[in-house]
Amino acid sequence: MPFFNYRTITYSPAYTIVPTYECFNRCTYCNFRTDPGNDSWMSLSTAANIFKRLQNQNVCEILILSGEVHPHSPRREQWFKLIYDLCELALSMGFLPHTNVGPLSFEEMQKLKKVNVSMGLMLEQLTPALLQTVHKHAPSKLPELRIQQLQWAGELKIPFTTGLLLGIGETETDCWNTLEAISQLHQSYKNIQEVILQPHSPGSQQSFDAVPFNPHQLPKIIEKAREILPVDITIQIPPNLVKDQQWLLACIEAGARDLGGISPKDEVNPDYPHIQEQELREILDPDSWNLLPRLPIYPQFDKCLSEDLEAQVKRWRKEFGLTFNKYR
């Protein structure tokens, strides 16, 4: 049994699959999307070939990350079926799917629960002020729509990851209010496993003219988040967006305990390559921090899964030697 305590930092060995980059939203900070009709959708055969190559590479998580097709688009049903089929294929080839594809209907979430061990959606910021700026042309970024997703996930007992985007025009009070909303939902449903604190990092495709979020401010945000959030929610930071090693370590000292999915490419921030496992181990002094892989579902949420999904999760826990009961 591996040694595990509060000095442990986790990451998920992951690979990101993008069914389509098409998105009807036009967030001005986005470096991911293409206009509807300008992207070919991934085929199942292409995905199967990728999964075959990954089977001996110790990858456990398949992150299904997609641009959004409008809820009333005639292609919505086809888009949703592709996402479902990709999750089902990933499971059949031994992986654990985690889906983050924007707001879904209650029925869509209910169906995807059958083929996902966890799901996610960033709240970003709940202040409506951003609807006049960075989210002016992003209909699915309505705060009430985003918060409803977390409520539905709670009602469906879906292990869930959410988070904040920092540096897009919010105030500190906006951040605290968003964290408070997450805390209240978790106290009601007990299904939120992680909160990501993601600093805005300018990319080559965005139209948003703003400086990067100052990484020196991150430890303060993390400390406050740790005060607001229940102790059983893990705080995650993306290490490729905190380039200064000193401040990455300061973020960890402040209370961040997870480094997210480590894959060949950060699809959301393609200008910032992921820091791979070996480099992370060199940054994290092994005498101070214990870096361990994790699954896309934390152990305390296994009870939310069907028997078939739980059996697959248990196989991966055994594969990674993850025999302890709870992450911190």
Side-chain angles (χ1 to χ4, degrees), residues 16-173:
T16 303
I17 292 289
V18 181
T20 179
Y21 293 90
E22 293 183 15
C23 189
F24 74 96
N25 288 317
R26 286 185 287 128
C27 306
T28 59
Y29 50 76
C30 184
N31 292 282
F32 174 85
R33 71 176 298 280
T34 61
D35 289 330
N38 285 2
D39 183 40
S40 58
W41 293 8
M42 179 175 283
S43 67
L44 290 180
S45 59
T46 296
N49 288 332
I50 293 171
F51 295 157
K52 285 177 186 176
R53 295 198 303 269
L54 296 174
Q55 282 181 321
N56 296 315
Q57 296 184 28
N58 234 21
V59 170
C60 68
E61 175 181 351
I62 297 298
L63 168 59
I64 309 292
L65 184 72
S66 181
E68 299 178 36
V69 171
H70 196 284
H72 301 305
S73 167
R75 303 180 78 193
R76 176 76 177 197
E77 186 175 345
Q78 179 189 357
W79 171 80
F80 179 79
K81 184 178 186 304
L82 175 58
I83 290 165
Y84 185 96
D85 290 348
L86 285 168
C87 294
E88 193 171 49
L89 177 64
L91 277 172
S92 72
M93 298 182 71
F95 301 101
L96 302 178
H98 171 97
T99 292
N100 186 333
V101 293
L104 298 162
S105 70
F106 185 89
E107 291 73 20
E108 288 170 337
M109 293 179 77
Q110 193 170 37
K111 289 176 182 176
L112 282 178
K113 180 183 177 181
K114 300 173 184 176
V115 291
N116 279 271
V117 299
S118 59
M119 295 173 62
L121 181 78
M122 296 286 281
L123 282 184
E124 299 187 1
Q125 295 288 344
L126 291 181
T127 172
L130 299 183
L131 297 174
Q132 305 304 316
T133 56
V134 293
H135 291 157
K136 188 173 184 178
H137 302 291
S140 86
K141 296 300 173 77
L142 291 170
E144 57 268 29
L145 183 60
R146 314 294 280 189
I147 206 76
Q148 183 182 64
Q149 295 293 294
L150 271 68
Q151 181 178 345
W152 283 347
E155 293 172 5
L156 290 166
K157 295 182 169 57
I158 296 172
F160 213 74
T161 294
T162 188
L164 281 65
L165 187 53
L166 305 171
I168 56 173
E170 77 286 350
T171 66
E172 276 194 355
T173 300

